[in-house]
């Protein structure tokens, strides 16, 4: 099970890196074409925007798994050290509820817009919301695991 999870997260890391590389090439090529040749790639702006949405939402799940999100814990750790495990579980519960809302809303948008095709790219406009579906699902699973075992996914990082 641990190998499958590590493999999945490595695929997500490679996917994020690939999307970023494609975005850089698209934007750079478009800039050169516009300023050098008075032309451009019409779909590059929309594809770059789609890539940015996917990078941000997948990246949010990746950094949550790694425990790299910004957290201000000085107050609770200093004044309520014995309550920190309970507070952490409450925080994970709030994250679970929020990610569930993200998942449900993005799923509704994905289903509603799947047949709306972009005239520039020919891709469904629901691909923007699909990033929210996947991110909400990943964040929800991470928070569900961490409610019951707060250090489980971090322990997997140490095994690498």
């Amino acid at each position: 099970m641990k190998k499958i999870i590590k493999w999945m997260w490595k695929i997500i890391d490679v996917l994020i890196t690939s999307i970023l590389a494609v975005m850089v090439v698209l934007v750079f090529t478009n800039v050169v074409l516009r300023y050098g040749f008075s032309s451009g790639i019409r779909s590059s702006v929309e594809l770059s925007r789609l890539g940015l949405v996917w990078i941000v939402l997948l990246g949010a799940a990746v950094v949550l798994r790694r425990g790299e999100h910004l957290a201000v814990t000085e107050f609770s750790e200093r004044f309520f050290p014995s309550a920190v495990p309970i507070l952490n579980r409450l925080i994970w519960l709030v994250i679970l509820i929020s990610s569930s809302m993200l998942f449900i809303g993005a799923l509704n948008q994905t289903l509603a817009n799947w047949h709306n095709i972009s005239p520039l790219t020919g891709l469904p406009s629901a691909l923007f919301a699909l990033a929210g579906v996947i991110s909400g699902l990943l964040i929800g699973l991470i928070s569900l695991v961490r409610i019951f075992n707060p250090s489980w996914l971090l322990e997997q990082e140490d095994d690498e």
Side-chain angles (χ1 to χ4, degrees):
M1 183 68 169
K2 284 184 179 182
K3 286 186 179 187
I4 293 171
I5 292 173
K6 284 182 187 179
W7 180 74
M8 180 192 71
W9 287 109
K10 285 185 190 232
I11 287 176
I12 291 173
D13 287 340
V14 168
L15 181 65
I16 290 172
T17 306
S18 302
I19 292 171
L20 182 61
V22 168
M23 283 175 56
V24 168
V25 168
L26 273 174
V27 171
F28 179 74
T29 304
N30 204 31
V31 167
V32 169
L33 287 173
R34 283 189 187 210
Y35 291 108
F37 303 101
S38 295
S39 66
I41 305 169
R42 294 182 65 200
S43 61
S44 70
V45 174
E46 187 171 340
L47 289 173
S48 296
R49 187 173 44 142
L50 180 62
L52 181 65
V53 168
W54 277 89
I55 286 173
V56 168
L57 289 171
L58 286 177
V62 168
V63 297
L64 182 67
R65 174 188 169 251
R66 294 179 182 164
E68 296 175 353
H69 271 288
L70 179 63
V72 182
T73 59
E74 288 80 15
F75 181 78
S76 61
E77 289 175 354
R78 182 175 176 143
F79 296 113
F80 308 108
S82 61
V84 168
I86 296 168
L87 292 174
N88 285 341
R89 284 185 168 86
L90 286 174
I91 289 168
W92 286 114
L93 182 63
V94 169
I95 293 171
L96 177 63
I97 293 168
S98 301
S99 65
S100 299
M101 292 168 55
L102 171 65
F103 175 78
I104 292 168
L107 182 63
N108 289 338
Q109 285 298 311
T110 301
L111 295 174
N113 292 311
W114 193 256
H115 298 291
N116 293 338
I117 305 299
S118 167
L120 288 176
T121 62
L123 298 172
S125 62
L127 290 176
F128 288 98
L130 184 61
V133 171
I134 293 173
S135 179
L137 181 65
L138 290 172
I139 291 171
L141 290 173
I142 292 167
S143 59
L144 189 62
V145 167
R146 292 231 177 125
I147 286 172
F148 299 106
N149 188 356
S151 61
W152 183 69
L153 292 171
L154 295 174
E155 291 167 357
Q156 288 190 341
E157 286 286 315
D158 296 336
D159 292 344
E160 292 181 4

